[in-house]
């Protein structure tokens, strides 16, 4: 990779990792569903007037919008609001990789390879360690909601698998727009109009900055750069950078929010990242070993 492209990939990793700290800050003045609504409203506007709709069947676009944006982030934001640490959330959400494999087996008839199964078991052991250390009921519920967010992300990946090649910016902008109506309805029904009034009265620079960071650098700029790099280089070159997202997420939460870095978080993080590494590189390692054995 060219040095400038490496820096761009690292910039995306830092943006996506520190995003979990921004979520925590935004939730101080915004209820989670309204926060999610505003994120995708601004991600869609005003670009939707200048970007053409992707040439996809409506069911794929709507399904992606529902699971990738509306449900995933409502669940993630709600889990963090209930007290699940944002740095740890950046790690747990990575289980989506293994949920995607499981759904592809169930829905698309794909067959998992041994490294994928081994990686999933290692990551699952890390999650068992996390669960064993949670004692407050709201935090446990938050943990389950973040896992559900990972399942929602994995479901969106199944929709993505059926899309073929598509312009990432077109997809993000129009999916953001389609995510807004169900989010508005859910926010009004669950949080109530009074929550909107309260949020408007309490709106400050922190809340506004969190919304704008979520909408533009995190959603639009991040996806745009990642899409360019994925088109420019093989997937095997770019994908490993995603392993750094939970690392930057946990470090930024520790530095900026004072989130404690207990031993079990370090061990669980190593297990999840190790599982992801086995999933990503295990197949190539097995093929290399076969070539070395006469």
């Amino acid at each position: 990779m060219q040095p400038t492209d490496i820096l761009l990939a690292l910039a995306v990793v830092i943006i996506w990792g520190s995003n979990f700290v921004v979520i925590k800050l935004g939730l101080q003045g915004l209820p989670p569903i309204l926060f999610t609504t505003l994120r995708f409203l601004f991600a869609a506007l005003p670009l939707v007037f200048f970007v053409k709709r992707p040439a996809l069947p409506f069911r794929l676009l709507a399904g992606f919008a529902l699971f990738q944006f509306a449900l995933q982030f409502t669940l993630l934001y709600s889990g963090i609001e209930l007290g699940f640490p944002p740095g740890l959330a950046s790690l747990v959400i990575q289980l989506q990789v293994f949920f995607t494999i499981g759904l592809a087996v169930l829905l698309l008839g794909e067959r998992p390879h041994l490294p994928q199964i081994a990686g999933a078991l290692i990551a699952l052991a890390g999650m068992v360690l996390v669960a064993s250390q949670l004692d407050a009921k709201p935090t446990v519920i938050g943990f389950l909601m973040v896992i559900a967010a990972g399942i929602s992300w994995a479901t969106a990946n199944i929709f993505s698998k059926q899309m073929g090649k598509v312009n990432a910016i077109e997809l993000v902008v129009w999916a953001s727009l389609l995510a807004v109506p169900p989010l508005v309805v859910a926010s009004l029904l669950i949080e109530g109009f009074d929550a909107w009034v309260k949020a408007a009265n309490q709106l400050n620079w922190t809340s506004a900055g969190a919304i704008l960071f979520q909408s533009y650098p995190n959603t639009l700029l991040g996806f745009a750069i990642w899409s360019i790099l994925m088109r420019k280089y093989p997937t095997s070159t770019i994908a490993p950078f995603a392993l750094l997202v939970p690392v930057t997420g946990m470090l930024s939460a520790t530095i900026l929010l004072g989130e404690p870095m207990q031993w079990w978080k370090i061990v669980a993080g190593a297990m999840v990242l190790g599982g992801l590494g086995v999933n990503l590189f295990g197949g190539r390692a097995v093929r290399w070993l076969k070539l070395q054995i006469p």
Side-chain angles (χ1 to χ4, degrees):
M1 290 180 65
Q2 297 177 2
T4 53
D5 290 335
I6 293 174
L7 291 176
L8 284 173
L10 291 175
V12 173
V13 165
I14 292 172
I15 289 171
W16 284 351
S18 60
N19 172 56
F20 291 85
V21 171
V22 176
I23 292 172
K24 182 69 174 181
L25 295 174
L27 287 170
Q28 294 176 1
L30 294 165
I33 306 178
L34 178 59
F35 189 9
T36 309
T37 304
L38 293 172
R39 168 183 178 165
F40 292 111
L41 176 65
F42 284 99
L45 298 176
L47 280 180
V48 74
F49 296 111
F50 305 99
V51 175
K52 67 179 181 179
R53 176 186 156 183
L56 294 171
F58 181 78
R59 68 172 185 85
L60 292 182
L61 184 58
F64 180 85
L66 178 64
F67 288 100
Q68 182 71 47
F69 291 160
L71 277 177
Q72 180 196 166
F73 289 99
T74 292
L75 290 164
L76 176 62
Y77 290 11
S78 299
I80 293 176
E81 186 191 43
L82 286 170
F84 194 69
L88 203 52
S90 71
L91 176 69
V92 173
I93 197 75
Q94 300 305 318
L95 289 178
Q96 60 86 16
V97 172
F98 304 109
F99 293 141
T100 300
I101 294 170
L103 289 175
V105 171
L106 291 174
L107 301 178
L108 303 180
E110 295 186 5
R111 297 182 62 183
H113 301 292
L114 183 59
Q116 294 175 323
I117 297 172
L121 291 175
I122 295 170
L124 178 61
M127 289 303 96
V128 171
L129 176 59
V130 170
S132 70
Q133 299 297 318
L134 302 177
D135 49 9
K137 184 177 179 180
T139 307
V140 173
I141 296 173
F143 172 56
L144 295 176
M145 295 190 81
V146 174
I147 289 178
I151 295 173
S152 182
W153 185 353
T155 306
N157 288 339
I158 299 301
F159 282 94
S160 298
K161 281 176 172 286
Q162 301 175 66
M163 289 179 183
K165 291 186 178 180
V166 62
N167 182 284
I169 295 299
E170 294 175 0
L171 177 62
V172 169
V173 169
W174 280 88
S176 295
L177 181 67
L178 289 178
V180 171
L183 285 169
V184 169
V185 173
S187 181
L188 288 173
L189 290 176
I190 297 172
E191 297 167 338
F193 185 71
D194 289 344
W196 290 34
V197 175
K198 182 179 179 180
N201 291 334
Q202 295 180 344
L203 187 67
N204 54 34
W205 286 110
T206 300
S207 298
I211 294 169
L212 295 178
F213 181 89
Q214 292 275 292
S215 300
Y216 299 117
N218 185 53
T219 303
L220 294 176
L221 182 62
F223 273 99
I225 294 174
W226 198 257
S227 174
I228 291 171
L229 294 176
M230 288 292 283
R231 287 199 298 266
K232 189 173 182 180
Y233 297 99
T235 301
S236 58
T237 300
I238 303 302
F241 282 95
L243 297 177
L244 297 175
V245 171
V247 175
T248 57
M250 296 181 76
L251 288 177
S252 61
T254 298
I255 295 169
L256 300 175
L257 298 178
E259 183 177 312
M261 185 68 76
Q262 296 101 323
W263 68 267
W264 58 270
K265 289 184 181 179
I266 297 173
V267 173
M271 294 175 78
V272 172
L273 292 178
L276 290 169
V278 170
N279 174 68
L280 190 60
F281 303 112
R284 278 185 286 175
V286 170
R287 288 192 293 271
W288 182 83
L289 285 173
K290 288 181 178 179
L291 291 175
Q292 304 309 309
I293 299 174

